[in-house]
Amino acid sequence: MARPFRQAIIFLLPIVILAGATTGWSASNQDLERKIDQTKRKLTQTRNREKSVLGNLLSTQKKAETVRSNLQQINSKLDKTEESIDKVRDQINLTLNQLEAIRNRIRDRKSVLGKRLATIYKYGYQSYLEVLFAARDYGEFVSRFEMVGRYVRGDLALLKELQDQQEEVARKKEVIARQHEELRQQQTAYAQLQKSAKNEHSRWLSKMQEQQRQLAAIQNDRRSLERALDELEELSKQMESQIRGMQNNSKVALGTGRYIWPTRGTITSYFGYRIHPILRKRKYHSGLDIAAPRGRSIVAADNGVVIFSGRNGGYGKMIIIDHGAGYSTVYAHCDYLLVAQGRSVTKGQEIGKVGTTGLATGPHVHFEVRKNGVPVNPLDYL
Ligand SMILES: [Zn+2]
């Protein structure tokens, strides 16, 4: 190539690129950029909603858990009360049986006594029995019938003893019956507490379910927005011919051919085809994603000339460096661009800052190596 002509090209190149940048791909990407901005705003809103709904859900879960453990305590108290009621009921039945037995013995004793008296006084069994049962106490009875024998005295003593026993058991029965009544009241109170705790628990549970549904819907939205911000394929394809048009056609390498890492960070996505974790679809990724904090330096991977520095739709703020011999590198999603088109840069020179412009959900550098405009695996050159 003749010298003056080459100089003219070098002189004209930035102008051509500038024109290309403002009219060519940049203009065609203005709609895309607007869409990206909208999507990112929506994503931020969705993430905030997700955070607040998640916070609500967590506090609801905590409340439901408190009510649940409260309910458990009430349940165990109710169980214990019911056990006590069963025991007391057994005791009541026992004392009732005792009372019945004592009453039977008293009846038998009185009948024996009546017969004995009838034999002694010959007045007839029935009348003595009536007198016996009508007597206010046995002392009175004994004084009315002075002619009582040893057996009758024994019978009377036994009767007195049985009646004492009867009174004692009856008192015991009263005490137990009161206890039973108290326990029954306790049972009713616990049953009411149980009912209201159950209601409260089911209210919290349904609130939790509602919030879980909300959260799932929001997460769905968030994921589809993130997916929308993950589509660079088409733009990457368009760039192939555009880069070829901008590149210096010289076969002479401007750099060493061995690249250094454009920034310190973690690789979050590799070059090539991968199965999308959510879409379960094969997706093509034209570069290497290196996640790094926003504002961290991005450096030129090798010596070269900046052939593009500006906005490019999904790539956001982007730099392309031509390294000669058909090679170029791309640095996308920058927060700031620090070199202008047409500038020569040296390997390791700071050219921009890490950001999230364009289709990026978090701060990272999307780094591409291209051979004649076609993306190749950057790891083969680093
Ligand atoms: Zn990427």
Side-chain angles (χ1 to χ4, degrees), residues 20-21 47 62-63 138 145 150 156 158 161 170 204 258 261-262 278 282 291 301-302 304 307 311 339 367-368 373 378:
R47 278 179 177 159
K62 225 178 255 170
K63 277 170 187 160
Y138 298 111
F145 295 86
R150 198 155 53 89
L156 287 171
L158 186 59
E161 201 181 300
W204 286 118
R258 296 305 306 172
W261 287 84
I278 298 157
R282 259 160 66 90
D302 202 355
I307 56 171
R311 285 188 167 275
V339 288
F367 177 63
E368 291 182 3

Side-chain angles (χ1 to χ4, degrees), residues 175-192:
V175 171
I176 296 169
R178 270 199 299 278
Q179 219 179 332
H180 182 249
E181 183 51 34
E182 276 166 26
L183 285 168
R184 285 296 301 269
Q185 279 170 8
Q186 227 176 65
Q187 184 192 29
T188 310
Y190 283 140
Q192 265 166 1

Side-chain angles (χ1 to χ4, degrees), residues 232 285 289 333 364 366:
L232 282 175
H285 190 228
D289 284 347
H333 311 307
H364 75 280
H366 171 88

Side-chain angles (χ1 to χ4, degrees), residues 38 44 54 91 127 177-178 217 258 265 283 285 320 359 372 375:
Q38 279 174 3
T44 306
L54 193 62
Q91 282 175 355
S127 62
R178 270 199 299 278
R258 296 305 306 172
K283 298 286 293 176
H285 190 228
I320 304 175
L359 291 164
N372 298 322

